Amino acid sequence: MLRSRVESKNLIPAVATATVMLIGLTILGCQRPETTDRKAVEPEGHPQAQAEAVPIKGRAQMWSENCMRCHNIRDPKSLSDTEWQVALHQMRVRGNLLAEEHKGILELMQAGN
Amino acid sequence: MLIRPKTTLVVIATLWMLGGGIALGEQPDSDNVVSREEYDNLKKEFEAFREQMLKTNQNRAPAKMDQETQEYLQYLETELGVVKDLALASQQGSTKFLVTGYATAGFTDRRGENSTFDAGFNPIFLWELNDRLLFEGEIELELPGDAETETNLEYANASYLVNDYVTVGAGKFLTPFGIFNERLHPAWINKLPDRPLPYGSEGGLAPVSSTGAFVRGGIPVGKTMKGNYAFFLSNGPELNIGDVAASEAGSLKFHNNADSNNNKAFGGRVGFLPIPELEAGYSFMYFQAQPDGFTNVDVVLHAIDVSYIRDSDALGGVIDARFEWVWSDVDDATYDADGSLGFGPTRFNNSRDGGYAQVAYRPSKNGNKVIKKLEGVVRYDWLNNPNGAPESFDEERYTCGLNYWLTPSTVVKAAYQMDNKDNGANDADAFLVQAAIGF
């Protein structure tokens, strides 16, 4: 019993650090203009896309660096534009992709279709 | 017959008039006569006029084409309307759905066991309700050796993107402890046919999945670096008291869909990428695992992981190096206290550790179309169990494999595994073959 109390106390700094970090990220993230809203993702050539899209080289680099971290990179044509939206949403969560990476890779996959 | 003079005159006059009329009719009128020259001129003019008319008609052809084009455009417009109607009729609405997953076919020939074929199918269902809300679920269909098809719910959870840095979710999820279970376990991603020892589905040191809630995300660090985090609160695993097999006493039952006590498990992983190719992470998990009849048994799990993946021209391909080390520290407890299970009472220092180091290389830039699809893999994995535990032994394995990638997500893997156990346990060298398709 004594040992369990001691070990539980050892975890208090970790839990506290995690809590503070999460609160900070939530506040910071909510103050920042979001990339999460995918309305900004328009088809290639669309004026809005040209204005806001990540540069092609940057997108390709994001694609290879992030996807290859776990698996081989797949052909953009293997999924439709809509399917890529869903697949990359899952990868954003599972692979902890940055919002900009999520947006950039999605743009690249849709442009490759 | 008497011919009267008056009548004669009339006849003569009539004949004259007729004759004169005829003669006048045959005589050319100077105003109406066309000479040969005039005729030829008129013919030339006619020919010129004819040519001009032909040219005019030719010039009028485009006008005819325009009309045809307009008719064709009208036809296309009609057809487009039909296609639009069809597209609208088949539109799925604002939500988006994707079925993905993977399937395997394998063969294992392990020393001391009968060689056997096996197969598996893991469909994954993804449902994006909107830009922020996602449901993911995976069903694992397996063929155990002595039973009908086994169905497991590998994970089923919903997540919500709160902002660029924070995602929250709840349900059953792959546990973010280390990286193998969460990122590398799908058969088309795992570079060898089996799991490394610390992440084994039986006897492993870490949970594959957990039921609870999580918060996670990625954050940029400076201009080129980045970090990521994942924390979770879930039902806690339960201590195995050895009631099924004495060798399992002191291990942890991670397949705990319902919590055995009110103390939940808390854990997570923090990762850091100083350069895109390199990632290092630290994971932890804390819970109490005592079943009924046991005093508090605290459990603390720790793990470190390092990955280096680089696609290099100098190396002529892709090098993939990974290392993970897991520690499990379970409070001491007395097993089979009344001796009813036949191996107790026994008490031991219940500390375990295990890990793996794996390097794979694929010469993807080689000009030969066969060689560029080959991949060599070497892995060393180990698992140290408590010395005083019933039927306990330590184990280490060396596994060498050769993969052939048919497509980026379809691979045929062949590997030979050299097994080494202590405490008199039989080594179980194995030959493993597996085909895996990610779809």
Side-chain angles (χ1 to χ4, degrees), chain A residues 4 8 32 36 38 69, chain B residues 128 164 226 286 298 322:
Chain A
S4 84
S8 297
R32 182 177 184 271
T36 297
R38 215 188 299 119
R69 193 166 294 125
Chain B
E128 187 186 61
D164 283 1
K226 66 175 183 176
Y286 167 77
D298 281 9
R322 300 182 189 277

Side-chain angles (χ1 to χ4, degrees), chain B residues 93 205 342 346 385 424 431:
Chain B
L205 301 181
T346 183
N385 288 308
F431 176 63

